[in-house]
Amino acid sequence: MIAFVLYFDLTINNNTIDERLKQKTLEAISIVESRNNSKAKHSIVKKGVQKGHYALGKFGLMPNTIKDIIKKDRLLSLTHSYVLKYNQIQLKTLIENDIRFEYEIASKLYDRLQKKYKTLDKISYSWLNGSVKNTSVKNHWYVKRVEKQFKRSIL
């Protein structure tokens, strides 16, 4: 009985720590992306798969990324399948007006990146660029900014 209680307590504490790391990381990303402003105006992407689109909300989420997360998540695909038909303007309105939805999408993206890359530098680099092709990303300007905000966070 004592071993079970000890194991259970450690599991709860580890989950709490993981959740706090996620919250700190997402807060740092939102400050770098938009100064934590859901209605921030992001630049239009000029090349690549996201060409012609712009990031949305305080986390700088790309429309294709939002739709991809919904498609790959069983619960979101059941509750938010209608979003897959949204254009850029409709997505922007949704993100600006539904902070829970915005956080849920950002949280799912974080979970995916954390599982794949494990470290803050690679998670933040991938948040901006979509994937980590270069193993050395520590000196990238975006990574440095996210890490700086992460260290400032008091969550």
Side-chain angles (χ1 to χ4, degrees), residues 17 19-32 36 59 103 120 144-155:
I17 291 168
E19 193 61 33
R20 288 183 69 198
L21 286 174
K22 179 196 293 192
Q23 289 173 353
K24 279 184 71 157
T25 303
L26 290 176
E27 179 185 340
I29 288 169
S30 73
I31 290 168
V32 172
N36 207 21
F59 298 107
Y103 185 83
L120 178 61
K144 286 181 177 181
R145 286 183 186 173
V146 171
E147 287 178 342
K148 182 178 178 181
Q149 291 304 322
F150 183 88
K151 289 174 185 171
R152 286 183 174 173
S153 176
I154 55 172
L155 281 178

Side-chain angles (χ1 to χ4, degrees), residues 5-130:
V5 172
L6 201 68
Y7 172 76
F8 185 71
D9 186 49
L10 289 174
T11 304
I12 289 172
N13 288 336
N14 284 341
N15 289 340
T16 303
I17 291 168
D18 290 346
E19 193 61 33
R20 288 183 69 198
L21 286 174
K22 179 196 293 192
Q23 289 173 353
K24 279 184 71 157
T25 303
L26 290 176
E27 179 185 340
I29 288 169
S30 73
I31 290 168
V32 172
E33 285 287 344
S34 67
R35 295 187 178 157
N36 207 21
N37 177 4
S38 287
K39 296 184 181 191
K41 292 184 181 181
H42 299 274
S43 300
I44 295 175
V45 177
K46 295 189 180 4
K47 59 183 177 177
V49 270
Q50 305 284 6
K51 182 179 179 181
H53 294 281
Y54 51 86
L56 303 168
K58 69 181 186 177
F59 298 107
L61 299 165
M62 295 303 293
N64 293 341
T65 304
I66 294 168
K67 291 178 180 181
D68 185 57
I69 288 168
I70 292 170
K71 287 178 196 173
K72 291 180 178 176
D73 185 272
R74 188 176 300 156
L75 182 59
L76 283 174
S77 66
L78 289 172
T79 59
H80 291 84
S81 61
Y82 61 92
V83 175
L84 300 175
K85 297 177 183 175
Y86 278 15
N87 63 30
Q88 176 101 19
I89 295 167
Q90 290 169 313
L91 278 171
K92 181 178 184 291
T93 302
L94 176 63
I95 291 292
E96 287 178 357
N97 294 313
D98 190 343
I99 58 173
R100 281 183 283 175
F101 175 76
E102 179 183 20
Y103 185 83
E104 188 170 8
I105 295 295
S107 178
K108 298 284 184 182
L109 178 57
Y110 171 87
D111 292 343
R112 185 190 299 179
L113 298 177
Q114 201 284 329
K115 184 177 180 181
K116 185 173 184 177
Y117 298 116
K118 312 253 185 295
T119 61
L120 178 61
D121 60 331
K122 290 182 179 178
I123 290 168
S124 55
Y125 182 87
S126 182
W127 195 279
L128 178 69
N129 293 298

